[in-house]
Structures are given as structure tokens and as C-alpha cells.
Amino acid sequence: MCSKKLILTSIILHIVLAKDVPSITSSETNLTVVMGRDAYLTCNVENLQNYMVAWLRVDTQTILTVGHLVVTKNPRVGVLSGPHSCTLALRDTHRSDAGRYMCQLNTDPMIVQIHYLQVYVPPKIIDSSTGEVVVAEGASIALHCAASGNPQPNITWKREESKPLTIAGESVLKWEGEWLNISVAQRDMNCVLFCIASNGIPPSVSKRILLFVLSLEMSFV
């Protein structure tokens, strides 16, 4: 009889203690923000009691916050603590902020949850042909335009006023790719070209290039 009472008491005690153990009730998040905007990652917690929630940057093994205190020297990091939640605030997000973040309870063993942050970056043209390109009639033309951003931007070439381009013997209104190659320059190709970089994150950016094709004809008096 005593043995049964001890077993029942042990079961009841285990249930009571289990109810008192802190737990993370929210789900892992995969958050995407545009660079320059604020990002918020939240852990919802039950039965926190005297335990504390910490936020860490997984990629660099950096402790960012503990409880309501910010321990990193990064001035853009903040924390919003409540009785049932703890939110990591990243203000004016940079591209380098992208990565994994850990919400951690100082229980034994520790209870952790990983959150993911992706930072989208508008396109920026980082390399291109000069603003004026002069070639002789009949020569080949190779124009280059490259851009950075996240997602990686697409490059589109267009002629001013949406006039067609002659590429590889075909007349096209636009050309995709970092390189615009024209095998034979013709006199009627004098124009203004636009290299346009876009990745779905506004604003798109463009570079204006003037193309001059010099005639080989010579006049004799």
C-alpha cells in the first residue's frame, strides 16, 4: 500500500514539476526584410518564472541580449521583454545582418529555438562601360554592365525610345545579360543605350551610355 502511495505521489510531483518547466510556445520564423527597415524576431515563452531569455547571433557566436539587457555594443540592437515574450529588434538592417539567430532559455538543459533573417537589397550598378563609347564603323562592340543586390539583379539593355537593337543579325527590343556584344557596328547604331538593373526590390537603377559609330567614308577634294 505504501509503495502504491509513493508511486502515485511521484507521478503527481512529476506532473506538477513538468507544468512549471519553461517552454517556448512560438514557432521558428523565417523573416525577410528590405535593407534599411527594422526587423523583429520574437520568442513566446510560458512559465518563464525566474529564468531568462537570451538572444544570440549563431553565425558569429555573439550574445546580443540577456533578459531586458542589451549586451552587444551594436547600437542598432534592442530587446522588447514581456512576461510571455522576448523580441529581438534589429533597427536599420544591413545586408550583413542576414543569418541565424537563437532564442535561448537558461534552463538545464537549455531550451533553444533558431530564427532566420534574410535581408533583401535593392540593385546597385557597380561596374559598367564608360558613359560614351566611340567605335569605328564595321568594328565589334562589347558593352558591360554589372550590379550587386539581393536577390542578384538581372541586367537588361534597351535602346532609347524603345527602338530595336540589332544583335547577332536579329532585331530585338531588349537584351538580357551583363554583356551586350555587337559583332559589326553600323552607322545607324548611333544611339543612347540604357543598362537597367532590377531584382524585384525597388527602385530599379539604370546607366545611360552614348554610342557613337564613326563613318569610314572620306572626302577628297
Side-chain angles (χ1 to χ4, degrees), residues 8-27:
L8 182 59
T9 301
S10 177
I11 293 172
I12 293 172
L13 181 61
H14 178 75
I15 293 173
V16 170
L17 290 175
K19 287 183 177 180
D20 290 338
V21 172
S23 62
I24 297 175
T25 58
S26 54
S27 301

Side-chain angles (χ1 to χ4, degrees), residues 54-169:
W55 279 98
L56 297 84
R57 176 76 186 264
V58 176
D59 303 343
T60 59
Q61 293 294 306
T62 305
I63 300 175
L64 303 175
T65 69
V66 176
H68 64 279
L69 298 176
V70 176
V71 296
T72 180
K73 293 181 179 180
N74 187 339
R76 297 183 296 105
V77 174
V79 63
L80 307 172
S81 295
H84 302 292
S85 66
C86 185
T87 299
L88 175 69
L90 297 170
R91 302 179 180 87
D92 184 24
T93 52
H94 296 178
R95 185 170 186 169
S96 59
D97 291 329
R100 296 179 298 161
Y101 292 82
M102 179 189 294
C103 168
Q104 176 182 292
L105 301 185
N106 63 334
T107 52
D108 187 14
M110 290 185 297
I111 301 172
V112 301
Q113 186 177 77
I114 303 296
H115 296 253
Y116 302 86
L117 176 65
Q118 183 169 202
V119 180
Y120 279 168
V121 183
K124 178 182 179 181
I125 293 177
I126 56 174
D127 181 41
S128 71
S129 298
T130 58
E132 292 186 6
V133 176
V134 181
V135 296
E137 183 180 3
S140 62
I141 305 171
L143 301 179
H144 182 249
C145 185
S148 64
N150 185 37
Q152 181 61 38
N154 296 316
I155 301 295
T156 303
W157 294 88
K158 288 185 177 180
R159 191 171 176 175
E160 191 176 42
E161 299 176 355
S162 299
K163 292 181 179 180
L165 290 165
T166 302
I167 308 294

